[in-house]
Amino acid sequence: MKSVKEVSMITGVTEQNIRYYEKKGLLSPERNRKNSYREYSDRDIDRLKMILLFRKLDMPLAEIKKLLEGDVTLDKAMEDQIRRLKSEKEKLDDALEFCGTIRESRLADLDVDACLERMREKEKAGSVFAKIAEDYTAVVKSEMVRTFSFMPDVPCGTPREFTDELLKYADQENLDIIITKEGMSPHFLMNGIEYRAYRTSGRFGITIHCEMIHPEDYIPEGMSEKKYRIYRTLSFVGIPVLIFFTANFWVFREAFKSWEGLLMVLIAIILYTSEIYFVYYCYGKNFKG
């Protein structure tokens, strides 16, 4: 077993990046029971070298994680990465083309407006919508890791029962878990990510909610915190409301003709959104944070 400093010297990966990969759930080294220091096995080092290899191929961390955990085959991962790299190559080719065009001009004669217009036309060819869809998908996937919930087999009335149910859940889902603090609000490491848990009681019984202690560390790579919050709000409120309006378009068309109708529509939206939140909550979806 080796320390993080030794692993850094062996692999050439900085200690900061190693800890970052742990926060992302790509590494989950064991902890020394006496001092809680991380200890890395030869298997951890080999895994880190694989991460380094695929990062040098510019593969996103989320895709590397799926590959290492067996959620996707090497062939499929390479196929997807080739597609991403080809897309980037097309962007670079366009940039090279513009560079060649501009190079033949003098600065004083450069038609900046014409160049910008050509660039905008290329961007309108679908890249904007593709980026929106990609970002939204990344946010949905991160939410599944950021918070999760499940219904235990027992009421979890004692710290021991709480711990046992967490261990049982991890075993059923084939996840690595280390309980770092027992109690009625226990802390634990799940696949290298720090979580805290608490329980609530609802119409369907007891639900255990688990949330990341540092959710700010799990914003999708390359996405700003502001954009992440916008997409989260959209997924919680915007999409359900959009579905509601679409399904009842013909009814609302008549309601919009009077203020009484508009008031009824507003009340219906509020009730519908509240019910969406309540149903998700009862089934274990945690909206905190």
Side-chain angles (χ1 to χ4, degrees):
M1 305 297 282
K2 293 179 173 59
S3 66
V4 64
K5 186 174 183 179
E6 291 173 321
V7 172
S8 178
M9 293 178 64
I10 292 171
T11 62
V13 181
T14 65
E15 295 181 29
Q16 181 180 9
N17 277 354
I18 292 174
R19 293 193 177 94
Y20 179 73
Y21 293 148
E22 290 175 20
K23 288 182 179 180
K24 292 294 184 180
L26 279 83
L27 289 173
S28 52
E30 295 183 1
R31 287 179 177 267
N32 188 301
R33 294 179 179 275
K34 295 181 180 178
N35 53 30
S36 293
Y37 289 169
R38 295 174 175 84
E39 294 184 333
Y40 300 81
S41 65
D42 291 339
R43 182 181 178 185
D44 292 324
I45 294 174
D46 290 340
R47 188 179 177 95
L48 182 57
K49 289 178 179 178
M50 286 189 183
I51 296 171
L52 180 60
L53 168 64
F54 293 122
R55 283 301 290 157
K56 286 185 178 292
L57 295 177
D58 207 28
M59 185 181 290
L61 287 179
E63 298 303 314
I64 295 175
K65 184 178 180 182
K66 289 197 295 185
L67 174 60
L68 295 180
E69 292 182 352
D71 294 334
V72 64
T73 64
L74 179 60
D75 181 64
K76 181 64 167 60
M78 290 299 98
E79 179 184 335
D80 292 341
Q81 183 60 13
I82 289 172
R83 186 172 61 252
R84 281 189 289 266
L85 292 175
K86 283 183 176 179
S87 177
E88 290 299 318
K89 182 178 181 297
E90 290 176 3
K91 295 178 184 178
L92 291 175
D93 287 342
D94 289 340
L96 286 170
E97 178 188 342
F98 277 104
C99 286
T101 302
I102 292 173
R103 184 181 180 183
E104 297 172 359
S105 306
R106 292 186 306 171
L107 184 60
D109 300 329
L110 182 62
D111 190 342
V112 177
D113 290 334
C115 289
L116 288 174
E117 184 60 30
R118 285 180 61 191
M119 290 179 179
R120 292 190 190 101
E121 289 300 321
K122 287 185 175 291
E123 290 173 351
K124 289 178 181 178
S127 60
V128 173
F129 293 106
K131 179 61 176 173
I132 291 174
E134 182 181 332
D135 286 345
Y136 185 75
T137 300
V139 169
V140 172
K141 289 181 178 178
S142 73
E143 284 300 299
M144 297 174 67
V145 178
R146 194 173 187 268
T147 63
F148 63 92
S149 306
F150 64 94
M151 301 187 73
D153 295 329
V154 298
C156 297
T158 66
R160 184 68 259 172
E161 286 185 349
F162 212 140
T163 296
D164 288 343
E165 288 302 312
L166 287 172
L167 294 174
K168 185 189 299 183
Y169 174 81
D171 182 61
Q172 291 172 347
E173 299 297 323
N174 197 26
L175 300 169
D176 294 326
I177 185 172
I178 300 175
I179 306 296
T180 56
K181 173 189 171 185
E182 287 194 285
M184 296 307 293
S185 181
H187 289 204
F188 60 94
L189 287 170
M190 185 82 81
N191 285 355
I193 302 175
E194 295 179 277
Y195 289 90
R196 59 172 160 258
Y198 62 95
R199 65 174 197 148
T200 59
S201 178
R203 67 166 75 168
F204 298 106
I206 299 296
T207 300
I208 292 180
H209 302 274
C210 305
E211 58 182 19
M212 291 178 63
I213 294 178
H214 300 291
E216 66 278 3
D217 293 335
Y218 211 78
I219 295 176
E221 188 177 12
M223 185 180 296
S224 67
E225 183 176 354
K226 181 179 179 180
K227 181 185 287 188
Y228 181 65
R229 290 185 180 277
I230 291 173
Y231 277 114
R232 288 191 72 216
T233 302
L234 179 64
S235 65
F236 290 157
V237 180
I239 300 301
V241 170
L242 179 62
I243 294 173
F244 181 64
F245 263 111
T246 302
N248 297 276
F249 173 75
W250 297 105
V251 176
F252 291 144
R253 189 177 65 170
E254 295 298 321
F256 287 146
K257 295 180 179 179
S258 65
W259 71 266
E260 294 93 343
L262 288 173
L263 180 60
M264 292 301 297
V265 170
L266 179 60
I267 294 173
I269 292 173
I270 293 174
L271 292 174
Y272 176 76
T273 305
S274 300
E275 181 64 18
I276 289 290
Y277 271 73
F278 185 69
V279 169
Y280 271 106
Y281 175 80
C282 289
Y283 279 98
K285 178 63 181 176
N286 176 22
F287 284 90
K288 291 185 62 178

